[in-house]
Amino acid sequence: MPRASELTTKTSGSKGGKQAAPKPAAAASQRVYLGILQGLEQNRLVPGQRLIETELAIEFGVGRNAVREAMQRLSVRGVVDLKPNQSASIRKLDLQETIEILEVATELTSLTVKVAASKYDEKRHGKAFRAVMDRFAEFEDMRQPSEFSRTRRQFYRTLLSIGENRELQRLFLAVGVHVIYSQHQSYELQQIRLQAFREIYAAVCANDTKAGAIIGRQSVERERDFIVRQYAAAN
């Protein structure tokens, strides 16, 4: 599932409705926050890996308070485990935790596709949506998990943008799919996901809300079934 863009809000005292620049502390925390997520995408960080506060402060050129704030945000998103008197670590999911997350993701994805299908307008959304699918086509046969992950996030951001439902966007942030994507990056699973994106794209462009809801649900269920089979084969 995708990471939504951080929105900058207007301040009541700004002139001409200009957007306020982020405060330095917030910008520092954001740098760590996005850096950790990017590290997961690129396999520089792996589930179970410890995150040393002092090392992160040096790596990102920020203070330790900014690191702590980022860890709190990542914990809320289910990416990082925080325990008293221990270093934070990248969350490592067992099978049951994975299934529970995907159960929630199933419902959210179904709703997201349905809402997008109801709001899709070719003139407003067609160019951006096609650009994402073109990007998938560029590396369809390439085994580049990080590139696929970035485009996957863009795909879901585009769906959420088409749907224009702010509450749905907020809920997406709360589902801890980042670790699932990090733990399960096989080429076979990438192809399953890619086929699902094509089916979702077709349903949304056709404004077919019924098919969209079904396809959205099935896309996550197929992913879940594949992961369950992988666990069974490994054990």
Side-chain angles (χ1 to χ4, degrees):
M1 302 230 96
R3 184 178 66 209
S5 300
E6 294 293 327
L7 301 178
T8 305
T9 56
K10 296 179 180 179
T11 58
S12 58
S14 60
K15 295 181 180 179
K18 292 183 179 180
Q19 292 181 333
K23 295 180 180 180
S29 172
Q30 180 76 347
R31 189 155 67 248
V32 179
Y33 174 83
L34 295 177
I36 296 298
L37 293 177
Q38 186 178 60
L40 269 174
E41 281 186 352
Q42 298 175 351
N43 284 329
R44 291 185 289 104
L45 297 173
V46 296
Q49 182 173 337
R50 291 203 172 278
L51 302 170
I52 309 303
E53 188 176 286
T54 53
E55 293 178 358
L56 292 173
I58 293 170
E59 177 182 351
F60 293 102
V62 301
R64 294 175 69 174
N65 284 339
V67 174
R68 292 179 190 130
E69 182 180 335
M71 292 302 104
Q72 289 291 338
R73 292 175 61 195
L74 290 164
S75 176
V76 170
R77 291 200 58 181
V79 175
V80 165
D81 276 333
L82 295 179
K83 297 179 181 179
N85 303 316
Q86 293 184 27
S87 297
S89 61
I90 300 295
R91 187 179 177 192
K92 187 172 184 179
L93 302 172
D94 60 26
L95 179 58
Q96 185 57 40
E97 288 174 313
T98 300
I99 290 173
E100 289 170 359
I101 291 172
L102 290 176
E103 283 178 347
V104 177
T106 297
E107 302 304 322
L108 281 177
T109 304
S110 177
L111 180 58
T112 296
V113 179
K114 178 180 178 181
V115 171
S118 72
K119 299 285 185 66
Y120 179 79
D121 178 83
E122 172 61 26
K123 291 182 179 179
R124 293 178 58 205
H125 308 122
K127 183 177 180 181
F129 209 10
R130 282 192 297 275
V132 179
M133 299 308 295
D134 289 344
R135 181 61 179 152
F136 276 130
E138 288 179 16
F139 55 85
E140 178 177 355
D141 296 321
M142 298 174 66
R143 300 172 186 268
Q144 296 182 349
S146 61
E147 283 295 321
F148 186 85
S149 183
R150 277 193 288 271
T151 308
R152 170 189 54 77
R153 285 190 290 108
Q154 184 61 45
F155 180 84
Y156 282 113
R157 282 202 300 266
T158 302
L159 281 180
L160 290 165
S161 176
I162 292 170
E164 298 179 324
N165 186 310
R166 288 173 292 181
E167 185 64 11
L168 195 52
Q169 293 171 9
R170 185 189 67 80
L171 290 171
F172 252 85
L173 283 172
V175 181
V177 295
H178 275 86
V179 178
I180 291 178
Y181 286 123
S182 178
Q183 287 186 206
H184 304 280
Q185 292 189 345
S186 71
Y187 179 72
E188 185 178 354
L189 185 53
Q190 176 178 308
Q191 294 305 301
I192 290 172
R193 289 165 173 161
L194 183 57
Q195 179 59 34
F197 296 153
R198 290 176 177 140
E199 294 172 1
I200 290 170
Y201 175 78
V204 171
C205 290
N207 296 116
D208 192 336
T209 57
K210 183 176 180 180
I214 294 171
I215 291 168
R217 177 183 299 276
Q218 290 176 341
S219 69
V220 184
E221 290 174 342
R222 287 197 294 263
E223 182 172 334
R224 178 205 61 201
D225 292 345
F226 178 86
I227 291 172
V228 170
R229 289 196 300 272
Q230 276 193 322
Y231 269 101
N235 295 285

